[in-house]
């Protein structure tokens, strides 16, 4: 018990408002992405639809989590004079984040792999391993930062942080490998978008262990705690909204490539950035009578 609990910081009026702004801003962005994902899921073919559905699910979970985070923040502090004083309810805010991540981070791996070219049994095995690694990365980090000694034991933070890092490194290796194997199978524009999506996801992943490590090296002050909340909120928006929009672009471009190559159909034209990529092609109907009396 040799470091203060990050969540139980007495906050000045300004710092309290900054965190509140970050939570509301991230929550609104995630809700907007949920609406976008819902309305755009049919823009991609069935082959890449799992990516769109994973993005839709994680947007819904994350938006709900931020509604709960705001409630935790609002009820976890009381204004006393010129400062906001925390109560025990304030501790639940970080637990809510970890619950959110334990669902949404595995879904992020599904979203990326669904637009890669790994298929069949290899795809199923890779998807299972990356989802398991993502979940274990979050759970082991949660043990160190929240459960053991209420996150105030530097030794527990280091040990469980290192265990979490093992899964973190595996995710990097597995996802980068899947992206590299997929690039030769798609067009240049789709490949560039896939690289950008992977870069955004993996770069935003790097924010979380950096913030996790703060209590290991320094006492957490109200200013540090504010920075942690803002960093987590910003990283969530980048990793879920920014990444999701890029992956959706990959799915649309790959849909257009498949339609143009004649290997798949799509019920409507595909457009990306106001550029027409392919026409709508309906599936061939079997056993339907034609006007000449013959059957197709």
């Amino acid at each position: 018990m040799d470091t203060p609990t990050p969540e139980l910081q007495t906050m000045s009026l300004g710092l309290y408002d900054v965190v509140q702004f970050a939570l509301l801003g991230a929550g609104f962005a995630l809700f907007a992405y949920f609406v976008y994902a819902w309305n755009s899921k049919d823009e991609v073919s069935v082959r890449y639809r799992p990516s769109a559905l994973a993005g839709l699910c994680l947007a819904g979970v994350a938006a709900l989590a931020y509604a709960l985070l705001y409630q935790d923040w609002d009820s976890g502090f009381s204004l006393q004079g010129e400062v906001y004083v925390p109560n025990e309810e304030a501790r639940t805010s970080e637990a809510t984040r970890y619950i959110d991540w334990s669902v949404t981070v595995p879904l992020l791996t599904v979203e990326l792999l669904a637009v890669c070219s790994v298929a069949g049994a290899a795809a199923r095995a890779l998807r299972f391993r990356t989802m398991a690694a993502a979940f274990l990365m979050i759970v082991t980090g949660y043990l160190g930062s929240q459960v053991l000694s209420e996150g105030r034991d530097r030794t527990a933070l280091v040990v469980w942080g290192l265990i979490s890092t093992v899964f973190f490194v595996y995710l990097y290796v597995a996802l980068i490998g899947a992206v590299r194997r997929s690039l030769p199978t798609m067009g240049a524009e789709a490949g560039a978008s896939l690289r950008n999506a992977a870069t955004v996801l993996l770069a935003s992943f790097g924010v979380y262990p950096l913030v996790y490590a703060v209590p290991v090296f320094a006492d957490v002050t109200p200013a540090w705690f504010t920075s942690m909340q803002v960093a987590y909120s910003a990283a969530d928006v980048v990793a879920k909204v920014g990444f999701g929009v890029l992956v959706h672009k990959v799915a649309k471009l790959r849909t257009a490539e498949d339609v143009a190559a004649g290997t798949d159909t799509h019920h409507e034209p595909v457009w990306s950035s106001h550029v027409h990529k392919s026409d709508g092609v309906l599936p061939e109907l079997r056993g339907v009578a034609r006007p000449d009396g013959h059957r197709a």
Side-chain angles (χ1 to χ4, degrees):
M1 307 286 280
D2 51 4
T3 187
T5 302
E7 301 91 328
L8 300 181
Q9 302 287 323
T10 298
M11 307 291 290
S12 68
L13 299 180
L15 294 179
Y16 179 90
D17 288 344
V18 168
V19 175
Q20 187 177 59
F21 180 86
L23 295 176
L24 282 173
F28 289 152
L30 288 160
F31 177 74
Y33 177 59
F34 173 80
V35 175
Y36 169 81
W38 176 269
N39 285 282
S40 63
K41 64 183 184 299
D42 292 331
E43 293 179 353
V44 302
S45 67
V46 174
R47 178 181 178 185
Y48 306 109
R49 195 72 50 79
S51 177
L53 295 177
L56 178 63
C57 290
L58 72 87
V61 170
L64 178 59
Y66 268 86
L68 296 174
L69 281 168
Y70 179 79
Q71 177 62 33
D72 293 339
W73 188 256
D74 185 59
S75 62
F77 292 83
S78 58
L79 181 61
Q80 298 182 16
E82 297 297 317
V83 295
Y84 279 93
V85 178
N87 55 51
E88 280 302 314
E89 287 187 38
R91 270 194 58 79
T92 62
S93 62
E94 290 307 285
T96 300
R97 285 195 183 276
Y98 277 94
I99 294 170
D100 167 18
W101 296 336
S102 70
V103 176
T104 56
V105 175
L107 285 173
L108 285 169
T109 68
V110 173
E111 190 175 6
L112 179 62
L113 292 175
V115 296
C116 290
S117 299
V118 185
R124 291 191 295 272
L126 182 59
R127 186 166 55 244
F128 173 80
R129 291 196 300 268
T130 54
M131 290 183 71
F135 177 77
L136 292 171
M137 176 181 71
I138 299 302
V139 169
T140 51
Y142 175 65
L143 291 175
S145 70
Q146 295 290 300
V147 176
L148 300 177
S149 300
E150 298 181 335
R152 287 180 281 175
D153 187 326
R154 282 191 172 94
T155 300
L157 281 168
V158 171
V159 170
W160 287 99
L162 290 174
I163 294 172
S164 179
T165 300
V166 173
F167 300 111
F168 177 83
V169 171
Y170 170 77
L171 276 180
Y172 266 63
V173 173
L175 295 178
I176 290 174
V179 169
R180 285 182 172 174
R181 292 196 300 274
S182 302
L183 292 177
T185 68
M186 63 187 71
E189 188 178 3
S193 295
L194 180 60
R195 282 193 298 268
N196 291 338
T199 299
V200 167
L201 179 64
L202 298 179
S204 61
F205 273 1
V207 173
Y208 301 98
L210 292 176
V211 177
Y212 173 96
V214 169
V216 176
F217 301 102
D219 288 340
V220 177
T221 64
W224 265 117
F225 181 56
T226 301
S227 299
M228 291 168 65
Q229 293 292 328
V230 171
Y232 278 150
S233 299
D236 277 349
V237 172
V238 172
K240 292 162 185 170
V241 179
F243 167 75
V245 171
L246 287 170
V247 167
H248 184 69
K249 181 180 179 181
V250 177
K252 287 205 296 183
L253 292 172
R254 298 208 69 184
T255 295
E257 291 176 359
D258 291 347
V259 171
T263 59
D264 201 355
T265 60
H266 192 55
H267 64 283
E268 62 183 18
V270 177
W271 293 76
S272 178
S273 301
H274 301 289
V275 177
H276 181 255
K277 298 297 182 180
S278 70
D279 293 320
V281 177
L282 295 176
E284 182 180 353
L285 299 179
R286 301 292 183 183
V288 177
R290 298 192 309 219
D292 59 6
H294 294 87
R295 300 184 71 84

